[in-house]
Amino acid sequence: GAAMAGYALIAATIVDMMKEAGFGMDMWSPISKRVIKLLSFQMVDDATIVHGGPTNFTSGEEIFATMQDLLNHWEGGLHTAGGTIATDKSYWHLIDFKWTGGKWKYRGLDEVPGDLTITGPNGTPVVIPRLDVTESKELLGLMIRPDGKESDQVKHLRQKTKAWADKVRTGHIQPEDAWYCTTRTIMKTVEYPLMATTMTKKELTHVMAPLLLAGLPKSGVQACFPRVLVHASLRVQGLELYHPFNTQLIEHLLAILRHGTRHTLTGDLL
């Protein structure tokens, strides 16, 4: 039906209302050199709200002082439209820095303390869990950390390839079916987040190890088959199981070429 389109219309109206109230964050896009006002990332009914200070010198304490009001506006807009916030799926980060005399460091939870609340199912206030900048939560298949490190994402993907490898290794499957499962299921799981990640080749090789050690033998290929041929094209007698590090780079380049000169939502962030 029209549920998705209806929610998009409601969310857009709430976002406009919050922008009018002064919430959000102004950013300077690095490639297109445009000033953009950012307030929310949304995928259907999953919403991430962002808020910042008017200048680079605004302290974490000053930003925190306005965040409860931001939440009240967002929650009030949803309640007016008949919706509510899922308390069990909500969490928040506060990103602030301190100068240590030699370099900038993130301020910890104890340095900028505070709680935020939303209305629970029974109408009473519920404290939202706060995470440190070094902690991640899965969001649309990505393990996102505010400090930008990819270690949690690597661990997340490694767990998926290991679980898949354990099932394939102990199961009974024909070689052609095993190859299809390798290239069309688990590899797609690995490739899914690559446009949004910056994992190193060493990290992605670590992710791929269980997949190859189980998938290749089940597909009738020697487990220690030279990796340069595993990842090479069929035109040079390879297996065309491309290394995800190369796929990640290509995804980044395609995104820049596709959106870098266009006024799309993605282009505005470049």
Side-chain angles (χ1 to χ4, degrees), residues 19-164:
K19 284 184 177 180
E20 287 293 327
F23 299 113
M25 181 170 61
D26 292 328
M27 296 179 60
W28 182 265
S29 55
I31 294 179
S32 58
K33 304 299 183 184
R34 298 180 63 198
V35 176
I36 57 175
K37 189 171 185 64
L38 190 62
L39 187 128
S40 175
F41 296 97
Q42 300 200 35
M43 177 63 179
V44 192
D45 60 346
D46 284 327
T48 299
I49 310 299
V50 295
H51 181 54
T55 72
N56 292 338
F57 304 101
T58 306
S59 68
E61 288 83 357
E62 293 176 272
I63 295 175
F64 174 76
T66 64
M67 289 175 63
Q68 186 62 60
D69 194 24
L70 175 145
L71 270 180
N72 294 341
H73 272 71
W74 179 257
E75 188 175 30
L78 288 176
H79 284 176
T80 302
T84 188
I85 297 176
T87 56
D88 58 327
K89 297 181 180 180
S90 301
Y91 60 92
W92 65 287
H93 295 91
L94 193 149
I95 306 172
D96 196 17
F97 300 90
K98 61 181 179 181
W99 179 251
T100 62
K103 60 180 180 180
W104 291 98
K105 288 187 177 181
Y106 290 100
R107 298 177 70 187
L109 301 181
D110 57 333
E111 296 177 278
V112 192
D115 292 325
L116 297 176
T117 62
I118 56 177
T119 304
N122 58 359
T124 59
V126 175
V127 176
I128 309 174
R130 179 183 173 186
L131 305 181
D132 193 73
V133 293
T134 60
E135 296 179 84
S136 65
K137 276 274 193 177
E138 185 174 3
L139 178 65
L140 300 178
L142 288 168
M143 301 299 292
I144 298 176
R145 280 175 51 166
D147 65 359
K149 294 186 178 179
E150 300 281 8
S151 55
D152 290 347
Q153 182 67 40
V154 173
K155 183 179 179 181
H156 179 67
L157 289 177
R158 171 77 180 205
Q159 289 173 344
K160 288 186 176 293
T161 57
K162 188 177 185 303
W164 178 90

